[in-house]
Amino acid sequence: MVSLFALFSINTIVLYIYLKYIISARQHKVDNFKPLRLTHKAIWSSLEHSRHAESTQQHQEITTLDEVDTALDHLIQLVIRDFIQSWFQKIAAQEQSFSISVNHIIRSAAVQVNKRLQQIDLLHVLLNRVMPKVTSHISDFRAAEISLRGKYLERSVTESDELDLLLASQFRQGRLHAALTTGAVTTKPTEIAYLRQLMDRVLPLIFNQKDTSSSLVHVVIREVVSCSILQPIMDMLADPDFWNQTIDTYVSHQMFILHT
């Protein structure tokens, strides 16, 4: 009987504490909840005005050439359509301010890139930096191919992913670019990791500080550019068939012009 009374007393005390200090505290917090600052009438009106001004803002010209600007406008529209609106519309289908902001940010970055290109001697870069690297790459690749297949390529081997890995291991004694590896057939993960590191260094140089001050914005821009834009472009440029078709199209076009 005593133990039953003690158990009843303990339960009563626990119930009292729960009602007094937990339920009452929760009710007190709900009653004292303050609305978010941005929902204040004056602040919300200011935000709406800023969004309207941003949506009606004229596009910034990237270059002084109309044809180049038209091509870049089309490219930016495709980037926003495929890499921004494709997922953002699932979150807010009627909201356009985010896409407009991204458009302005991309244009600002393109303007900065254009200004930097104007300060560079492209001919000097092409002749003294690009061409030596290209010729060195071709020479080293030829040496790796000879070491694997013989001086006159007399060893017959079957084209495969494993052969590519063997060839890569012979290229410059396995000292490959940071974006490449001989540890796996596909190099996409290492390529993306390298592009992310590259974009982390490049973004502060071409974007306004206020645009990338937010870590969320920085990550979104970095991921879109490195994973969805640059990596597919690198794959395209590394495909020999792309260059074959490009050269064939260009030569055919020039031959057509000569015969007309």
Side-chain angles (χ1 to χ4, degrees):
M1 186 68 180
V2 176
S3 60
L4 182 62
F5 178 76
L7 181 61
F8 176 77
S9 301
I10 293 174
N11 288 337
T12 303
I13 294 172
V14 171
L15 180 61
Y16 173 79
I17 294 174
Y18 179 77
L19 294 175
K20 178 69 175 178
Y21 296 100
I22 297 180
I23 298 298
S24 298
R26 289 180 179 176
Q27 185 65 35
H28 180 71
K29 289 181 180 179
V30 172
D31 294 339
N32 291 339
F33 178 77
K34 296 182 179 180
L36 297 176
R37 185 171 180 270
L38 62 85
T39 60
H40 191 275
K41 184 176 180 180
I43 298 177
W44 187 258
S45 300
S46 176
L47 290 175
E48 286 292 325
H49 178 73
S50 299
R51 291 176 60 190
H52 177 72
E54 189 177 60
S55 62
T56 57
Q57 183 179 354
Q58 294 293 329
H59 289 324
Q60 184 179 9
E61 293 185 356
I62 300 174
T63 67
T64 57
L65 301 176
D66 293 337
E67 293 183 357
V68 176
D69 267 357
T70 301
L72 291 176
D73 286 341
H74 182 61
L75 176 61
I76 292 174
Q77 291 175 4
L78 293 178
V79 169
I80 293 177
R81 184 196 68 185
D82 294 340
F83 304 127
I84 302 298
Q85 292 181 344
S86 59
W87 58 268
F88 187 76
Q89 285 183 344
K90 299 177 182 178
I91 302 174
Q94 304 299 325
E95 182 61 50
Q96 298 296 326
S97 60
F98 181 72
S99 299
I100 294 173
S101 298
V102 172
N103 192 344
H104 292 330
I105 291 175
I106 293 176
R107 288 180 176 277
S108 298
V111 170
Q112 292 298 323
V113 171
N114 182 45
K115 290 180 179 178
R116 288 180 174 271
L117 288 176
Q118 291 177 354
Q119 300 172 359
I120 297 175
D121 187 350
L122 294 180
L123 183 61
H124 173 79
V125 173
L126 179 64
L127 295 179
N128 294 282
R129 301 191 63 177
V130 176
M131 291 306 298
K133 289 183 179 296
V134 171
T135 54
S136 175
H137 177 84
I138 295 175
S139 176
D140 292 337
F141 178 81
R142 177 64 176 174
E145 195 173 30
I146 289 175
S147 66
L148 187 64
R149 302 180 60 181
K151 183 176 181 180
Y152 301 103
L153 306 181
E154 65 275 7
R155 299 173 193 161
S156 178
V157 292
T158 303
E159 298 292 337
S160 63
D161 293 334
E162 289 74 14
L163 176 63
D164 292 338
L165 290 177
L166 288 174
L167 189 59
S169 64
Q170 297 294 326
F171 183 81
R172 296 175 181 171
Q173 289 76 46
R175 296 191 299 271
L176 302 177
H177 189 274
L180 304 177
T181 179
T182 58
V185 174
T186 177
T187 59
K188 186 174 181 178
T190 54
E191 292 173 10
I192 292 178
Y194 175 78
L195 290 174
R196 283 171 177 159
Q197 296 176 3
L198 180 64
M199 291 309 302
D200 283 335
R201 299 197 302 267
V202 171
L203 288 181
L205 301 177
I206 61 176
F207 285 96
N208 294 329
Q209 185 176 2
K210 66 177 183 179
D211 294 332
T212 57
S213 58
S214 170
S215 59
L216 177 61
V217 174
H218 179 88
V219 170
V220 169
I221 295 175
R222 184 193 67 187
E223 293 301 305
V224 169
V225 174
S226 59
C227 301
S228 300
I229 299 178
L230 288 182
Q231 202 278 330
I233 290 177
M234 293 297 104
D235 281 349
M236 180 187 70
L237 295 178
D239 187 359
D241 187 58
F242 166 77
W243 294 105
N244 291 336
Q245 293 187 20
T246 301
I247 294 173
D248 181 68
T249 302
Y250 177 78
V251 172
S252 300
H253 180 68
Q254 294 300 319
M255 294 294 293
F256 176 78
I257 294 176
L258 291 175
H259 287 84
T260 56

